[in-house]
C-alpha cells in the first residue's frame, strides 16, 4: 500500500511539473504576457511597457509636446520637459492643456539643450519615458532606457520631426490607448478639413511662415507644423521660398541679404527671442511689400495662438484652427 501511495504521489508531482512547464514557456505567453501593457516599435528598437503594479502608469514626458499628447489621451505625466517655457503655473504645457492635469502637480523640468537631468528623471521612478518628439540621440536613449522603458520617435523620423499624427499614434500605443489615438488623429484631421472647406479662398495662395530669429531670420518648411498647418489649409509655398535649401530638414536660416524670400502673397511672421514690437520695428521686415500691403499676419510671442502654433499637438491645433484662419482671411483679402 505504501508503494502504491508513493507511486501516486510521484505521478501527481510529474503532472504538476508538466502543467507548470506549459504555463511558463519562453515565448512570452501565459501570465507574463498579461503583464505587458504595450509592445512598441520605434527608431531605436522594440520596447515593452509593463503593466504598472498599482494600476497607475507613471509617465515622464520629455519630448516636445509629448506631455500634451498624453494629456489629450487622459494620462497625466508625473514630469514634463518644458520646451516652450510655459512655466510651473501652467504645469509645463500650454494653457489650453493645463486643466487636463486636474489636481496632479507634475515635476516641471526647465528646457535643456544639453544633457538631461537624469538623476531628477530617475527620482520620479517612472514606469514609462516618452521621448518621441526629440533629437533622437542614441546615447541619450540608452541612458533613459536604464531608468525605465523609453519610447523614441518613428523609425524614419528626422530630429524633432515625427509628424504630429505619428507622434500621437506612437504615444497612444505606448500608453495602451491605440484606439483612442486613432480617434484623436481622425478628429483633428476632420477639424482641419472642415476649416479648409470653410476657406476655399486659401487654396493656391502663395505663402510663407517666417521668423525674426537670432541675428537674422528663419523660414519654415514641411515638417515644421507652423508651415504644415498653412499647407493643410490650402496655401502653397511661395516659389522663391521653395527654392531655398533648408538647413535642418524643416527650417532654413535667412540672412539679411535674403530677407526678400519672406515677401510672398501672404506671410505669417513671428519673433523667436524678440518681442512683437521688435519684429514690427525691424527695418527689413517693415520694408517688405507683404507687410506694407497688410498681407502679413504678425504674431505676438506672448499670445496663446503663437505658442499653440509652435507646440504642434492635437490640443494646440484646436487653438490654431480657431484663431489663425480669421487673421489669414484678412491677409488674403488684401491680395490683388
Amino acid at each position: 500500500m505504501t508503494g502504491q501511495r508513493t507511486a501516486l504521489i510521484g505521478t501527481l508531482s510529474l503532472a504538476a511539473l508538466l502543467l507548470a512547464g506549459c504555463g511558463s514557456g519562453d515565448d512570452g505567453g501565459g501570465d507574463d504576457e498579461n503583464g505587458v501593457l504595450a509592445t512598441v516599435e520605434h527608431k531605436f528598437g522594440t520596447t515593452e511597457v509593463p503593466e504598472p503594479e498599482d494600476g497607475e502608469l507613471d509617465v515622464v514626458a520629455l519630448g516636445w509636446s509629448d506631455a500634451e499628447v498624453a494629456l489629450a489621451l487622459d494620462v497625466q505625466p508625473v514630469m514634463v520637459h518644458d520646451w516652450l517655457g510655459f512655466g510651473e503655473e501652467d504645469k509645463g504645457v500650454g494653457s489650453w492643456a493645463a486643466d487636463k492635469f486636474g489636481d496632479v502637480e507634475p515635476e516641471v523640468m526647465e528646457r535643456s539643450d544639453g544633457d538631461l537631468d537624469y538623476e531628477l528623471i530617475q527620482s520620479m521612478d517612472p514606469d514609462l519615458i516618452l521621448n518621441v518628439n526629440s533629437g533622437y540621440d542614441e546615447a541619450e536613449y540608452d541612458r533613459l532606457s536604464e531608468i525605465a522603458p523609453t519610447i523614441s520617435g518613428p523609425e524614419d523620423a528626422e530630429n524633432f520631426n515625427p509628424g504630429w499624427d505619428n507622434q500621437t499614434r506612437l504615444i497612444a500605443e505606448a500608453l495602451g490607448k491605440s484606439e483612442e489615438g486613432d480617434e484623436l488623429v481622425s478628429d483633428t484631421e476632420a477639424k482641419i478639413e472642415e476649416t479648409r472647406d470653410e476657406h476655399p479662398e486659401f487654396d493656391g495662395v502663395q505663402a510663407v511662415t517666417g521668423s525674426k530669429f537670432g541675428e537674422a531670420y528663419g523660414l519654415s518648411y514641411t515638417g515644421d507644423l507652423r508651415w504644415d498647418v498653412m499647407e493643410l489649409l490650402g496655401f502653397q509655398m511661395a516659389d522663391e521660398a521653395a527654392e531655398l535649401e533648408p538647413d535642418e530638414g524643416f527650417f532654413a536660416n535667412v540672412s539679411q541679404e535674403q530677407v526678400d524670400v519672406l515677401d510672398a502673397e501672404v506671410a505669417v511672421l513671428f519673433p523667436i527671442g524678440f518681442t512683437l514690437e521688435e519684429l514690427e520695428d525691424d527695418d527689413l521686415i517693415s520694408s517688405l511689400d507683404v507687410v506694407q500691403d497688410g498681407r502679413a499676419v504678425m504674431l505676438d510671442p506672448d499670445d496663446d495662438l503663437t505658442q499653440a502654433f509652435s507646440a504642434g499637438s492635437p490640443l494646440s491645433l484646436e487653438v490654431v484652427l480657431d484663431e489663425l484662419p480669421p487673421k489669414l482671411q484678412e491677409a488674403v483679402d488684401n491680395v490683388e
Side-chain angles (χ1 to χ4, degrees), residues 80-95 98 101 105-111 307:
V80 176
H81 192 179
D82 189 5
W83 279 99
L84 290 171
F86 293 119
E88 292 189 7
E89 182 179 349
D90 282 326
K91 303 183 180 182
V93 297
S95 59
F101 270 109
E105 295 291 339
E107 180 76 29
V108 176
M109 184 168 65
E110 292 184 5
R111 174 171 177 165
Q307 295 169 338

Side-chain angles (χ1 to χ4, degrees), residues 107-138:
E107 180 76 29
V108 176
M109 184 168 65
E110 292 184 5
R111 174 171 177 165
S112 171
D113 291 321
D115 290 337
L116 295 170
D117 188 340
Y118 295 110
E119 290 185 4
L120 181 59
I121 295 169
Q122 188 155 7
S123 73
M124 304 306 298
D125 193 22
D127 299 307
L128 171 66
I129 297 173
L130 299 174
N131 204 24
V132 177
N133 190 352
S134 67
Y136 307 136
D137 181 280
E138 190 164 7

Side-chain angles (χ1 to χ4, degrees), residues 11 26 33 62 116 119 136 140 143 252 265-266 269 308 319:
T11 300
D26 294 332
E33 185 174 2
L62 297 180
L116 295 170
E119 290 185 4
Y136 307 136
E140 179 180 88
R143 179 66 183 90
E265 287 184 308
V266 167
L269 304 175
V319 177

Side-chain angles (χ1 to χ4, degrees), residues 185-198 233 317-322:
V185 170
S186 295
D187 288 348
T188 306
E189 290 175 337
K191 175 68 173 175
I192 293 170
E193 190 64 29
E194 177 186 352
T195 306
R196 178 168 180 163
D197 289 345
E198 291 172 352
L233 292 178
L317 273 169
E318 291 183 23
V319 177
V320 174
L321 293 172
D322 285 340

Side-chain angles (χ1 to χ4, degrees), residues 211-231:
S211 59
K212 178 177 173 62
F213 174 69
E215 296 182 358
Y217 310 92
L219 188 66
S220 302
Y221 285 89
T222 300
D224 184 332
L225 194 70
R226 289 167 291 200
W227 168 253
D228 290 345
V229 168
M230 299 287 288
E231 197 165 43

